[in-house]
Amino acid sequence: NVDIFLAEFAQRRDFEDIELQLHATDGTLTWHAVRAGNIEKSNGRSLRIIGTIKNIQALKDAEACRENKERQLLMQSRCDPMTQLLNRSAMQQAIEDQINSQAAYMFSIIDIDDFKSTNDNHGHVFGDEVLKYVADILRNACRSNDITGRLGGDEFVMLFRADFTREEADRRLISIIRRIREGVDTLSIEARVSVSIGAILVTRPGLSFLDVYRSADAALYEAKHKGKKTYSLSVY
């Protein structure tokens, strides 16, 4: 509204710069830079307002493009290119931030059983397919505020931000193992895929990432020792 626009500048003493969107003749909105101010007043009332207006839509488009590229580069620096989960460094930082601010959570290390044999028997292309398959199931098992990442090789990590009971933690881990074992018909080659999980259920603050990782890694070793395709859970 032109009257409102002019009235706004009429209240100002000095020249000022603003950006606003204006309708073009075809109805589209384009960004403009406006510099305007009073040059003559009488009894406190503006008699004349002068200024310039410049179409800056091209600059806005270039700025949006640059910001989009920056977001893409940030995502690439944080994501594992194979699985699109968080990479090791981004995952560790996110988990460190979380365990420093929350007392209750469950941290898990997930390892694909006999993954070397899968690569040897079916090739690395199929091995990559298995990695993506497991990553998708882990991603879908998480809520928006949980953390999932690829530790490296055939190992993944998950952090559930919740105060679970032991029974709830057991059910969640069993569900993940079952989903991975039962969904293999979606793979291009008929092959068995299973995982072992080492998990730590934390109910008190004060543990570092290294403490949590070592405890979950020890639990993973126990799960492997029990025959794989299962989990081991410790409570702290």
Side-chain angles (χ1 to χ4, degrees):
N1 186 294
V2 175
D3 292 334
I4 295 176
F5 173 72
L6 294 176
E8 172 69 20
F9 276 103
Q11 304 301 317
R12 307 181 184 190
R13 295 182 178 179
D14 301 320
F15 280 77
E16 295 194 35
D17 299 297
I18 66 168
E19 293 180 356
L20 73 161
Q21 287 181 296
L22 299 176
H23 282 283
T25 55
D26 61 358
T28 59
L29 281 170
T30 55
W31 280 100
H32 291 73
V34 180
R35 178 173 174 80
N38 293 292
I39 62 170
E40 186 178 346
K41 281 192 173 185
S42 176
N43 298 324
R45 182 179 179 183
S46 296
L47 299 180
R48 188 177 300 175
I49 296 174
I50 192 171
T52 60
I53 183 168
K54 180 180 179 181
N55 188 315
I56 57 170
Q57 186 61 48
L59 293 176
K60 287 290 185 180
D61 291 342
E63 180 180 348
C65 182
R66 177 182 56 79
E67 291 176 352
N68 184 53
K69 288 182 178 179
E70 289 177 352
R71 284 193 296 268
Q72 291 177 351
L73 290 173
L74 178 61
M75 286 296 295
Q76 291 173 5
S77 70
R78 291 173 53 82
C79 284
D80 170 59
M82 175 68 65
T83 63
Q84 299 305 306
L85 298 178
L86 291 177
N87 60 29
R88 184 181 184 122
S89 60
M91 170 273 300
Q92 181 172 339
Q93 184 61 60
I95 290 177
E96 286 178 343
D97 293 342
Q98 184 58 36
I99 64 179
N100 289 333
S101 62
Q102 184 167 329
Y105 53 88
M106 181 170 70
F107 175 83
S108 305
I109 301 177
I110 300 95
D111 181 88
I112 301 176
D113 296 326
D114 303 314
F115 185 67
K116 183 178 183 302
S117 297
T118 298
N119 279 328
D120 291 343
N121 295 332
H122 303 291
H124 289 275
V125 173
F126 181 71
D128 292 346
E129 184 181 343
V130 171
L131 289 173
K132 295 174 185 178
Y133 161 75
V134 172
D136 286 342
I137 291 178
L138 298 181
R139 183 186 295 108
N140 292 331
C142 284
R143 302 156 303 180
S144 59
N145 62 340
D146 296 326
I147 300 171
T148 310
R150 184 183 178 194
L151 192 59
D154 61 338
E155 286 192 334
F156 302 84
V157 296
M158 299 177 72
L159 185 140
F160 294 99
R161 309 187 215 198
D163 186 6
F164 291 140
T165 64
R166 174 63 186 255
E167 291 74 19
E168 290 170 335
D170 286 333
R171 286 195 297 269
R172 189 170 289 269
L173 295 173
I174 291 171
S175 174
I176 291 171
I177 292 172
R178 182 182 296 120
R179 289 183 195 179
I180 291 172
R181 187 176 64 247
E182 295 178 350
V184 292
D185 57 349
T186 62
L187 296 172
S188 62
I189 297 176
E190 185 176 347
R192 295 180 180 179
V193 178
S194 65
V195 297
S196 298
I197 302 177
I200 171 175
L201 184 61
V202 179
T203 58
R204 59 181 174 85
L207 296 180
S208 67
F209 175 82
L210 188 57
D211 294 331
V212 172
Y213 177 81
R214 284 175 173 171
S215 298
D217 193 48
L220 176 62
Y221 178 82
E222 182 178 340
K224 292 285 189 181
H225 186 69
K226 289 192 295 186
K228 305 177 183 179
K229 305 178 185 178
T230 187
Y231 70 95
S232 179
L233 176 64
S234 301
V235 180
Y236 284 76

